[in-house]
């Protein structure tokens, strides 16, 4: 069959709009609730602008018995212990989200909340690191704390402090804290340079401590083993911290470190996993190294950084389900890696995928999976689907973020939320009384733990909303740290100027775009008719406000269901008048667009994406004006 123009008069229906369902997910609201959750987890004297008002001051004598000020920081989950290792991971990922999506956070009016949340952690880390080779790694005892059900304001359980030092080192917790302080130093570099410099100093000392005195921290501190024991060891944290110090300082020492130790510390061991959380950092190493490579900041060691990127690419393909080791999912589509608090893996993976997708887009390149080109928008769509599941688009229609939507867990496993607020009833609630009267109460928690992301459903999408469901019903700060950036990305303006991979704006008129003279018509060279099978699937992926106006970002996927390749395609829509990305606007042919310059043809079964901005949720009715089949 030769090349033939076919003039089409059939308007293609555009499936998958589901505007009302999409708008049910207000990512901006979810982001705001996330910061309120961090306020609920604060330890120490609470600030005047505390929005989670059912909480009060607590842990005001932490560290006193050890002669050190350890007041502040965050309680890790539904208990009243401060575990440094997961707390540091929480701050690292939250800071990363601020670094990547600062403009979106500012646009949404959430930047100050983000800075406050990060600084609440780093202020405590500075206290916990009083000497170069000393880090306080825990306050409170998990065993005794878990035997009591008490509000943090009433705690009578021991507030013992546990530290690592040169005689009892712990590389995981020291390196992760170094990563957190290095990442946070970037966050504050422009707004508070003095504080930023202080954080770099602490990060440098902690990394040196972790690297020089190498040891598993749960061997030096057996008290942490049953709660946050390090199964992956400390090698991943050493690489992770070195990369963040490279980002914070541009010191070639850290670049050489991650290159020279790439094999020895397991950075190129072929994990091919998107598993990323408080214990396992390798996939984070791969993505951060890839970002440095794609931004042209690894000129001296390109080969090693490309090897890191190969690991990241494999993990991304597996996350999409088109790699050699696809990530497991529930029937409802949620990533499922572990039974206990699986949602923390979901949120961590979502941050990595978001960052990687945007980095690919800025560098105008696709992801390659087994020879198949995958556009960055497909990765972002995957992230959105994970977040939508979390927020209620799932078989149970249940939001796993407390306080979001109309249906969410009423009995999350959380001491402070499940006992009447001390503001409402200041009467002391003793250890056993808490269990008898509040833990076993059939009534929902009296305090709504807004923004808390619970552990989530099992592999069959089932969830039991009961207070003793520790496996799936307990929230944790490290569930929420990574989604600060993810929710900001989904809720904020897309900032299309940096969104690439062939998605140059249609209004740019690239040199190789087709030019049609005004009033010129393209005639068919044949009368042969075809049953055109081109699917155009539209999906609303984010919305944002500018004053009173509401804007929507819509991703369209065009799939060729024909037996023949489409060499040239002209789409038309009078409503595609705003920014359009991933198509070329045709000069002289009103409201008409064609393939992006990177796409020469659309083979049978292949698809490509384009994006447009809609005002007030008006859907663009897109039709095919002409198609050239091969």
């Amino acid at each position: 069959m030769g090349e033939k123009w076919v003039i089409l008069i059939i308007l293609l229906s555009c499936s998958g709009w589901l505007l009302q369902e999409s708008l049910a997910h207000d990512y901006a609201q979810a982001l705001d609730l996330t910061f309120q959750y961090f306020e609920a987890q604060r330890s120490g004297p609470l600030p005047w602008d505390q929005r989670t008002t059912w909480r009060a001051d607590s842990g005001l004598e932490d560290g006193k018995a050890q002669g050190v000020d350890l007041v502040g920081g965050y309680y890790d989950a539904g208990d009243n212990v401060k575990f440094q290792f997961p707390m540091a991971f929480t701050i690292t990922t939250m800071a990363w989200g601020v670094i990547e999506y600062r403009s979106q956070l500012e646009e949404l009016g959430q930047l100050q909340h983000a800075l406050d949340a990060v600084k609440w952690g780093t202020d405590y880390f500075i206290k916990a690191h009083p000497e170069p080779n000393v880090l306080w790694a825990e306050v409170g005892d998990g065993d005794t704390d878990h035997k009591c059900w008490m509000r943090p304001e009433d705690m009578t359980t021991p507030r013992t402090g546990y530290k690592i030092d040169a005689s009892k080192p712990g590389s995981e917790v020291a390196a992760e804290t170094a990563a957190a302080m290095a990442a946070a130093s970037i966050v504050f570099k422009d707004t508070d340079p003095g504080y930023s410099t202080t954080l770099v100093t602490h990060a440098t000392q902690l990394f040196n401590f972790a690297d020089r005195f190498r040891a598993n921290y749960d061997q030096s501190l057996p008290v942490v083993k049953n709660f946050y024991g390090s199964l992956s060891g400390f090698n991943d944290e050493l690489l992770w911290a070195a990369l963040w110090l490279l980002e914070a300082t541009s010191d070639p020492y850290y670049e050489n470190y991650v290159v020279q130790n790439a094999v020895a510390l397991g950075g190129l061991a072929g994990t091919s996993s998107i598993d990323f959380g408080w214990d396992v950092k390798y996939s984070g190493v791969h993505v951060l190294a890839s970002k440095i490579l794609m931004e042209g900041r690894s000129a001296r060691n390109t080969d090693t950084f490309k090897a890191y990127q190969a690991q990241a690419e494999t993990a991304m393909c597996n996350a999409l389900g088109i790699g050699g080791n696809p990530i497991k999912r529930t029937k409802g589509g949620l990533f499922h890696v572990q039974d206990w608090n699986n949602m923390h893996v979901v949120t961590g993976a979502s941050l990595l995928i978001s960052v990687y997708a945007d980095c690919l887009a800025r560098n105008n390149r696709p992801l390659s999976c087994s020879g198949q080109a995958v556009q960055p928008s497909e990765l972002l769509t995957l992230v959105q689907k994970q977040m939508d599941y979390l927020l209620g688009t799932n078989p149970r229609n249940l939001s796993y973020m407390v306080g979001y939507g109309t249906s969410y867990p009423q009995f999350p496993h959380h001491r402070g939320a499940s006992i009447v607020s001390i503001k409402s009833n200041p009467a002391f609630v003793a250890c056993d009384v808490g269990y008898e009267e509040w833990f076993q109460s059939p009534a929902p928690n009296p305090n709504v733990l807004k923004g808390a992301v619970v552990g989530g459903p099992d592999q069959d999408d089932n969830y039991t909303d009961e207070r003793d469901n520790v496996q799936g019903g307990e929230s944790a700060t490290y569930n929420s740290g990574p989604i600060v950036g993810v929710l900001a990305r989904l809720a904020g303006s897309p900032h299309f100027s940096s969104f690439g991979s062939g998605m140059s704006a249609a209004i740019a008129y690239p040199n190789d775009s087709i030019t049609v003279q005004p009033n010129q018509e393209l005639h068919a060279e044949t009368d042969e008719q075809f049953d055109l099978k081109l699917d155009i699937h539209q999906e609303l992926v984010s919305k944002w406000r500018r004053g009173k106006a509401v804007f929507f970002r819509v991703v369209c996927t065009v799939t060729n269901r024909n037996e023949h390749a489409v060499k040239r395609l002209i789409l038309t829509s009078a409503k595609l008048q705003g920014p359009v990305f991933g198509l070329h606007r045709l000069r002289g042919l009103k409201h008409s667009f064609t393939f992006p310059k990177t796409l020469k043809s659309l083979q049978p079964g292949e698809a490509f994406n384009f994006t447009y901005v809609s005002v007030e949720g008006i859907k663009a009715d897109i039709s095919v004006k002409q198609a050239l089949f091969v």
Side-chain angles (χ1 to χ4, degrees):
M1 176 180 178
E3 296 184 352
K4 298 180 180 179
W5 278 107
V6 180
I7 295 181
L8 305 160
I9 59 175
I10 300 174
L11 182 68
L12 294 185
S13 62
C14 302
S15 61
W17 180 246
L18 298 179
L19 180 61
Q20 294 302 317
E21 179 180 352
S22 296
L23 290 184
H25 297 309
D26 187 337
Y27 304 118
Q29 181 195 17
L31 177 65
D32 186 68
L33 291 172
T34 298
F35 290 126
Q36 292 186 51
Y37 169 67
F38 280 108
E39 293 182 16
Q41 295 300 108
R42 285 170 170 168
S43 181
L46 302 183
W48 65 270
D49 57 351
Q50 171 89 4
R51 292 178 296 167
T52 306
T53 55
W54 52 266
R55 280 293 325 280
D57 298 349
S58 63
L60 299 182
E61 295 188 352
D62 283 357
K64 184 176 181 180
Q66 289 76 39
V68 62
D69 178 6
L70 296 176
V71 175
Y74 291 105
Y75 301 118
D76 77 301
D79 51 31
N80 300 323
V81 185
K82 294 189 295 198
F83 292 99
Q84 179 67 22
F85 193 27
M87 194 194 312
F89 172 79
T90 299
I91 299 302
T92 308
T93 54
M94 193 191 311
W96 197 2
V98 177
I99 292 167
E100 297 290 336
Y101 304 113
R102 190 184 190 102
S103 57
Q104 285 93 337
L105 286 163
E106 187 169 18
E107 172 189 315
L108 295 163
Q110 295 292 340
L111 180 58
Q112 191 58 52
H113 290 313
L115 298 179
D116 291 344
V118 172
K119 194 169 186 292
W120 194 270
T122 53
D123 282 351
Y124 174 75
F125 297 165
I126 291 172
K127 292 181 178 183
H129 181 232
E131 302 174 37
N133 294 337
V134 173
L135 178 66
W136 292 87
E138 182 177 331
V139 177
D141 172 47
D143 290 325
T144 57
D145 179 273
H146 285 199
K147 291 177 182 178
C148 285
W149 197 259
M150 303 183 76
R151 298 178 295 206
E153 296 86 355
D154 284 336
M155 284 185 296
T156 58
T157 51
R159 301 299 293 169
T160 307
Y162 301 89
K163 68 178 180 180
I164 57 170
D165 55 26
S167 63
K168 291 185 176 181
S171 296
E172 297 96 335
V173 65
E176 184 59 56
T177 306
M181 298 178 98
S185 75
I186 302 171
V187 169
F188 295 105
K189 187 173 183 178
D190 293 331
T191 58
D192 194 344
Y195 189 68
S196 175
T197 299
T198 297
L199 292 176
V200 170
T201 299
H202 283 279
T204 302
Q205 291 178 354
L206 282 165
F207 177 77
N208 292 338
F209 173 36
D211 191 37
R212 179 183 177 189
F213 299 95
R214 295 188 181 186
N216 293 100
Y217 97 115
D218 55 7
Q219 294 180 358
S220 295
L221 296 178
V223 68
V224 305
K225 202 170 189 67
N226 291 332
F227 301 94
Y228 293 101
S230 177
L231 298 179
S232 68
F234 54 74
N235 289 344
D236 51 339
E237 278 81 23
L238 290 175
L239 291 172
W240 177 238
L243 280 170
W244 275 114
L245 276 160
L246 174 60
E247 290 285 77
T249 67
S250 299
D251 188 334
Y253 170 81
Y254 299 107
E255 181 177 336
N256 292 333
Y257 186 94
V258 298
V259 169
Q260 294 169 4
N261 292 284
V263 174
L265 295 181
L268 304 179
T271 59
S272 70
S273 172
I274 201 67
D275 189 357
F276 177 62
W278 61 264
D279 184 29
V280 184
K281 315 292 165 49
Y282 281 120
S283 54
V285 168
H286 300 150
V287 169
L288 189 53
S290 299
K291 182 174 184 287
I292 293 170
L293 172 69
M294 285 190 278
E295 292 176 354
R297 295 186 284 117
S298 62
R300 294 184 298 274
N301 298 288
T302 300
D303 289 344
T304 302
F305 276 80
K306 283 184 177 179
Y308 278 123
Q309 185 179 30
Q311 301 287 307
E313 298 259 311
T314 300
M316 294 296 149
C317 295
N318 286 332
L320 286 164
I322 54 179
N325 186 26
I327 190 171
K328 293 181 180 178
R329 305 189 194 194
T330 68
K331 291 182 179 179
L334 185 73
F335 293 155
H336 193 273
V337 175
Q338 59 191 43
D339 293 329
W340 195 287
N341 191 14
N342 178 69
M343 202 62 83
H344 117 266
V345 179
V346 173
T347 60
S350 295
L351 175 62
L352 294 187
I353 297 170
S354 297
V355 170
Y356 198 79
D358 283 332
C359 196
L360 286 174
R362 284 193 297 270
N363 287 274
N364 198 34
R365 56 154 296 187
L367 169 70
S368 178
C369 296
S370 302
Q372 175 183 347
V374 178
Q375 298 302 323
S377 58
E378 295 181 54
L379 288 169
L380 291 171
T381 297
L382 174 63
V383 169
Q384 188 206 8
K385 289 180 178 178
Q386 295 303 303
M387 290 298 100
D388 284 354
Y389 186 111
L390 188 156
L391 295 174
T393 303
N394 54 60
R396 294 181 59 89
N397 294 316
L398 178 71
S399 167
Y400 291 101
M401 176 181 283
V402 178
Y404 179 88
T406 58
S407 178
Y408 52 81
Q410 303 294 308
F411 298 84
H413 182 92
H414 190 276
R415 285 160 175 76
S418 67
I419 302 174
V420 62
S421 169
I422 199 169
K423 301 279 190 70
S424 302
N425 185 354
F428 176 74
V429 179
C431 173
D432 293 339
V433 174
Y435 267 116
E436 294 169 2
E437 295 187 6
W438 295 103
F439 180 79
Q440 297 180 21
S441 170
N445 289 355
N447 308 307
V448 179
L449 190 62
K450 293 181 180 179
V453 175
V454 298
D458 63 18
Q459 61 184 356
D460 297 316
D461 299 297
N462 296 320
Y463 179 80
T464 303
D465 189 14
E466 295 177 357
R467 204 168 283 122
D468 61 355
N469 178 16
V470 183
Q471 180 168 296
E474 185 173 18
S475 61
T477 55
Y478 46 88
N479 294 9
S480 298
I483 62 171
V484 165
V486 176
L487 292 173
R489 175 64 174 88
L490 294 175
S493 171
H495 300 289
F496 288 119
S497 60
S498 63
F499 197 84
S501 192
M503 293 188 175
S504 55
I507 58 176
Y509 302 129
N511 292 331
D512 62 347
S513 63
I514 302 171
T515 299
V516 180
Q517 297 301 322
N519 303 319
Q520 177 184 353
E521 294 183 2
L522 296 178
H523 299 282
E525 298 176 359
T526 175
D527 292 331
E528 185 175 353
Q529 298 296 313
F530 293 93
D531 181 15
L532 182 68
K533 298 177 182 178
L534 282 177
D535 292 342
I536 305 179
H537 177 89
Q538 299 198 57
E539 186 169 3
L540 187 150
V541 296
S542 66
K543 68 184 181 75
W544 67 97
R545 292 182 181 273
R546 290 261 175 91
K548 294 183 178 180
V550 181
F551 298 87
F552 302 84
R553 179 166 70 94
V554 182
V555 172
C556 296
T557 303
V558 180
T559 306
N560 181 11
R561 304 296 186 191
N562 299 279
E563 296 180 356
H564 306 288
V566 179
K567 185 176 181 181
R568 182 169 292 173
L569 178 70
I570 298 180
L571 301 175
T572 184
S573 174
K575 294 181 179 178
L576 283 177
Q577 298 180 6
V580 181
F581 302 84
L583 292 176
H584 287 336
R585 190 185 300 270
L586 298 179
R587 292 182 177 181
L589 197 60
K590 194 173 182 181
H591 307 315
S592 296
F593 307 81
T594 189
F595 285 143
K597 65 180 181 179
T598 55
L599 187 62
K600 303 305 180 185
S601 65
L602 195 64
Q603 298 298 316
E606 286 189 343
F608 77 95
N609 296 327
F610 66 92
T611 305
Y612 68 87
V613 176
S614 170
V615 181
E616 302 298 343
I618 298 174
K619 182 180 70 172
D621 292 324
I622 302 168
S623 63
V624 176
K625 188 177 183 70
Q626 293 175 335
L628 178 61
F629 288 87
V630 179

